[in-house]
């Protein structure tokens, strides 16, 4: 394992008066033959933070931050980042993520006991060049399982964030939690309410993109099912879990509303997984309100926005997700006229690829059918036809500029509107994307209403 680490780190280990260990995911991943391009390197030793930081800086490392109370040092060297912690034992107020008391120790077993899962409590001794396994974590790694470092009820009761970490790590690694581990999480599920929205969102992102960490297939679905099984999903996404047991038209759907949503996220491209997870969030509301699912896309857009704002999601993600949820049902019967579809493509061109992704994932999640969704086939066909015709999809590709319209007598404040109208005219083949033809079209159709005098001049010349 020594070859994984830089010479800088090895030299630092040799310069310390105590053995230096790598611990956690980096060791687990090596033993499990899991690979990621950007691994986290957590290191530890029975040295206080200030002493360690001083020695590390003498060895060429930069101590970015030193936290004496927790014995933590954040380091950088040669473009690498490291987090050091002194061997310690933590004391928690039930459920809170930050320990209330920290006790420093020389005992590696006590340090291992303060962690979460045995697979994360295996150490590599950089000084002695050997694996150190205080709690039997190597056996768990070899068996691809997750057990807790102490009784599961105690471990999850200490820190509510571990409820999310359980689902994320299982999703990313493919390790399976034991029945005791799951039960301990289930008993403590309400403690997730004590965790900040930002931390929940970060862990949920990790779950929804779990397959991208090590390439473990369908990891995001596995993680979501663990959240469901432990009851954590009821607390972080209650709007969604209302759909559990809510039946759908068996002609089109094999699963209830919740399971369909989880599978949709499982089948979706990584770019749209929040939209896939939340696309039917409006169905439980509509069913309880009207005893049907009519209009669920509009209610779903509203609910998705509420959820993502509650989770403190980035503004761009909220905007895209809300729009995708709102549009995911467009032409699902494939009966929209071609001109309407053309306008739809133009109006939503900025999101068009993601709309197709969501419609496909939605279709596949209905009955685990991975054939191309009929509405996707239709939308792609019309889109390709528009491309072949040279239709401009953005103002940037429209072959007329605002200054040309201004010179023709169009009011400056209305030029943007006219350009957008011309873009729509091109989409439905009312005019070719040619500067002179576009100008003529604008003068014939729009100028009279905007500037009668300029239109009169145009008419007199034509």
């Amino acid at each position: 394992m020594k070859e994984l680490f830089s010479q800088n780190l090895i030299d630092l280990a040799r310069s310390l008066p105590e053995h230096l260990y790598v611990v956690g995911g980096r060791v687990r991943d090596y033993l499990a033959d899991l690979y990621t391009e950007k691994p986290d390197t957590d290191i530890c030793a029975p040295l206080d933070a200030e002493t360690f930081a001083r020695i590390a800086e003498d060895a060429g490392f930069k101590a970015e931050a030193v936290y004496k109370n927790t014995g933590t040092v954040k380091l950088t060297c040669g473009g690498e980042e490291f987090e050091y912690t002194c061997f310690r034992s933590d004391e928690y107020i039930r459920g809170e993520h930050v320990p209330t008391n920290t006790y420093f120790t020389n005992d590696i077993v006590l340090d291992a006991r303060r962690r979460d899962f045995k697979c994360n409590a295996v150490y590599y001794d950089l000084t002695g060049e050997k694996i150190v396994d205080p709690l039997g974590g190597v056996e768990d790694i070899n068996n691809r399982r997750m057990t807790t470092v102490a009784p599961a009820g105690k471990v999850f009761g200490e820190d509510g964030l571990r409820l999310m970490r359980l689902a994320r790590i299982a999703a990313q690694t493919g390790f399976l939690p034991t029945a005791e581990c799951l039960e301990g999480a289930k008993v403590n599920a309400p403690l997730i309410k004590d965790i900040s929205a930002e931390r929940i969102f970060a862990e949920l992102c990790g779950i929804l993109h779990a397959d991208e960490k090590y390439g473990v297939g369908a990891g995001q679905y596995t993680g979501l099912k663990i959240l469901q099984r432990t009851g954590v999903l009821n607390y972080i996404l209650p709007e969604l879990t209302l759909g559990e047991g809510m039946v759908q038209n068996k002609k089109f759907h094999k699963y209830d509303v919740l399971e369909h949503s989880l599978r949709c996220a499982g089948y979706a491209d990584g770019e749209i997984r929040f939209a896939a997870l939340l696309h039917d969030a409006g169905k439980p509301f509509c069913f309880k309100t009207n005893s049907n699912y009519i209009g669920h896309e509009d209610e779903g857009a509203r609910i998705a926005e509420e959820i993502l704002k509650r989770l403190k999601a980035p503004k761009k993600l909220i905007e895209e997700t809300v729009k995708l949820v709102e549009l995911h049902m467009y032409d699902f019967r494939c009966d929209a006229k071609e001109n309407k579809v053309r306008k739809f493509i133009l109006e939503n061109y900025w999101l068009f690829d993601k709309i197709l992704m969501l419609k496909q994932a939605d279709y596949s999640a209905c009955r685990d059918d991975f054939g191309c969704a009929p509405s996707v086939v239709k939308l792609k066909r019309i889109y390709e036809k528009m491309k072949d015709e040279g239709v401009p999809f953005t103002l940037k590709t429209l072959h007329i500029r605002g200054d040309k319209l201004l010179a023709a007598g169009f009011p400056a404040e209305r030029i943007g509107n006219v350009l957008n109208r011309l873009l729509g005219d091109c989409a439905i083949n009312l005019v070719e994307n040619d500067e002179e033809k576009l100008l003529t079209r604008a003068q014939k159709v729009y100028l009279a209403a905007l500037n009668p005098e300029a239109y009169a001049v145009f008419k007199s010349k034509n």
Side-chain angles (χ1 to χ4, degrees):
M1 190 174 180
K2 178 182 175 182
E3 65 274 10
L4 294 181
F5 305 110
S6 66
Q7 191 62 45
N8 290 327
L9 186 61
I10 293 169
D11 290 343
L12 173 60
R14 290 171 178 166
S15 69
L16 294 172
E18 301 280 358
H19 283 221
L20 182 66
Y21 301 85
V22 178
V23 66
R26 193 80 189 266
V27 183
R28 178 199 68 213
D29 295 351
Y30 172 78
L31 296 174
D33 198 25
L34 295 170
Y35 171 78
T36 179
E37 289 186 0
K38 295 182 178 180
D40 296 322
T41 304
D42 295 321
I43 53 179
C44 57
L47 276 177
D48 67 87
E50 290 179 302
T51 300
F52 176 80
R54 188 185 69 253
I55 297 172
E57 290 199 314
D58 288 343
F61 286 70
K62 182 179 181 182
E64 303 288 350
V66 179
Y67 304 98
K68 292 189 293 183
N69 291 343
T70 59
T72 303
V73 182
K74 293 186 182 293
L75 299 164
T76 58
C77 185
E80 291 186 280
E81 297 180 358
F82 307 89
E83 183 168 300
Y84 169 84
T85 52
C86 176
F87 283 1
R88 72 186 198 217
S89 180
D90 295 327
E91 187 177 274
Y92 291 86
I93 292 177
R94 178 172 165 78
E96 292 189 6
H97 175 60
V98 179
T100 54
N101 290 301
T102 295
Y103 306 96
F104 299 115
T105 178
N106 293 321
D107 190 343
I108 197 170
V109 176
L110 287 177
D111 187 72
R113 289 279 183 202
R114 64 104 177 167
R115 299 180 185 275
D116 46 16
F117 308 107
K118 289 180 183 178
C119 63
N120 291 337
V122 180
Y123 301 70
Y124 177 70
D125 182 350
L126 285 161
T127 311
E129 299 182 15
K130 62 182 180 180
I131 294 292
V132 179
D133 183 17
L135 304 178
V138 171
E139 183 180 355
D140 276 10
I141 293 169
N142 291 338
N143 288 287
R144 294 293 201 274
R145 73 183 176 211
M146 293 181 71
T147 62
T148 49
V149 296
K154 176 180 183 295
V155 169
F156 291 111
E158 288 175 342
D159 180 358
L161 189 63
R162 290 171 176 168
L163 298 162
M164 298 294 295
R165 283 175 53 81
L166 170 68
R168 175 178 58 78
I169 294 170
Q172 290 174 337
T173 62
F175 289 16
L176 295 177
T178 62
E180 180 194 357
C181 188
L182 290 169
E183 185 59 29
K186 186 176 182 179
V187 168
N188 288 286
L191 296 182
I192 197 63
K193 293 185 293 184
D194 297 327
I195 303 302
S196 70
E198 291 87 350
R199 287 191 175 273
I200 291 172
F201 176 74
E203 292 291 337
L204 187 55
C205 284
I207 292 167
L208 287 176
H209 294 274
D211 60 326
E212 299 168 12
K213 180 78 170 179
Y214 305 110
V216 175
Q220 64 275 20
Y221 176 75
T222 298
L224 291 169
K225 290 298 289 183
I226 289 173
L227 292 179
Q228 180 190 9
R229 185 171 175 182
T230 57
V232 175
L233 200 64
N234 289 328
Y235 292 97
I236 63 173
L237 295 174
E239 301 91 341
L240 215 60
T241 56
L242 287 172
E244 187 169 7
M246 195 169 281
V247 297
Q248 305 190 81
N249 188 331
K250 295 189 182 298
K251 181 179 177 181
F252 304 106
H253 287 273
K254 188 176 179 180
Y255 305 104
D256 66 26
V257 173
L258 176 59
E259 179 64 16
H260 170 74
S261 297
L262 302 185
R263 285 177 180 266
C264 190
Y267 295 147
D269 184 272
E271 292 187 70
I272 58 149
R273 289 200 179 137
F274 270 100
L277 180 63
L278 302 177
H279 78 286
D280 276 350
K283 280 189 172 179
F285 176 87
C286 287
F287 190 80
K288 288 182 176 294
T289 304
N290 305 312
S291 300
N292 60 52
Y293 300 134
I294 296 172
H296 74 273
E297 62 271 33
D298 295 323
E299 292 297 342
R302 174 184 61 79
I303 292 169
E305 183 174 17
E306 291 174 357
I307 290 171
L308 292 173
K309 284 183 175 179
R310 182 175 75 228
L311 292 174
K312 310 293 180 64
K315 185 177 179 180
K316 183 180 178 183
L317 176 64
I318 296 174
E319 179 186 1
E320 283 196 358
T321 301
V322 168
K323 196 66 177 176
L324 285 168
V325 172
E326 179 188 323
L327 298 176
H328 81 275
M329 289 293 288
Y330 180 77
D331 199 25
F332 81 103
R333 292 194 183 94
C334 294
D335 55 3
K337 302 290 186 183
E338 181 169 326
N339 275 358
K340 287 190 175 183
V341 174
R342 284 170 169 261
K343 287 182 178 180
F344 174 83
I345 293 172
L346 182 66
E347 290 168 359
N348 300 287
Y349 180 70
W350 65 286
L351 208 55
F352 184 62
D353 287 344
K354 293 179 180 180
I355 292 170
L356 296 182
M357 291 176 190
L358 180 55
K359 289 174 91 44
Q360 181 60 52
D362 188 13
Y363 177 80
S364 295
C366 289
R367 304 193 64 82
D368 301 320
D369 185 345
F370 301 103
C372 197
S375 62
V376 171
V377 172
K378 178 180 175 182
L379 285 168
K380 280 185 174 180
R381 175 179 57 79
I382 294 174
Y383 172 64
E384 291 299 327
K385 186 177 177 182
M386 292 170 73
K387 284 200 328 185
D388 290 342
E389 294 167 356
V391 169
F393 294 97
T394 65
L395 291 178
K396 188 176 180 179
T397 56
L398 187 68
H399 290 165
I400 190 170
R401 304 272 73 86
D403 56 354
K404 194 78 172 180
L405 295 177
L406 193 64
F410 284 85
E413 69 275 10
R414 302 303 298 274
I415 284 175
N417 179 264
V418 174
L419 289 172
N420 278 300
R421 284 173 174 261
L422 290 172
L423 198 63
D425 292 342
C426 288
I428 59 175
N429 290 326
L430 291 175
V431 64
E432 186 181 335
N433 190 23
D434 171 84
E435 184 178 64
E436 289 306 316
K437 291 178 180 178
L438 288 165
L439 180 59
T440 300
R441 167 76 179 173
Q443 289 171 317
K444 283 184 175 180
V445 178
Y446 305 121
L447 189 57
L450 298 175
N451 189 339
E453 292 180 2
Y455 178 70
V457 172
F458 165 73
K459 286 291 287 181
S460 69
K461 293 180 179 179
N462 293 276

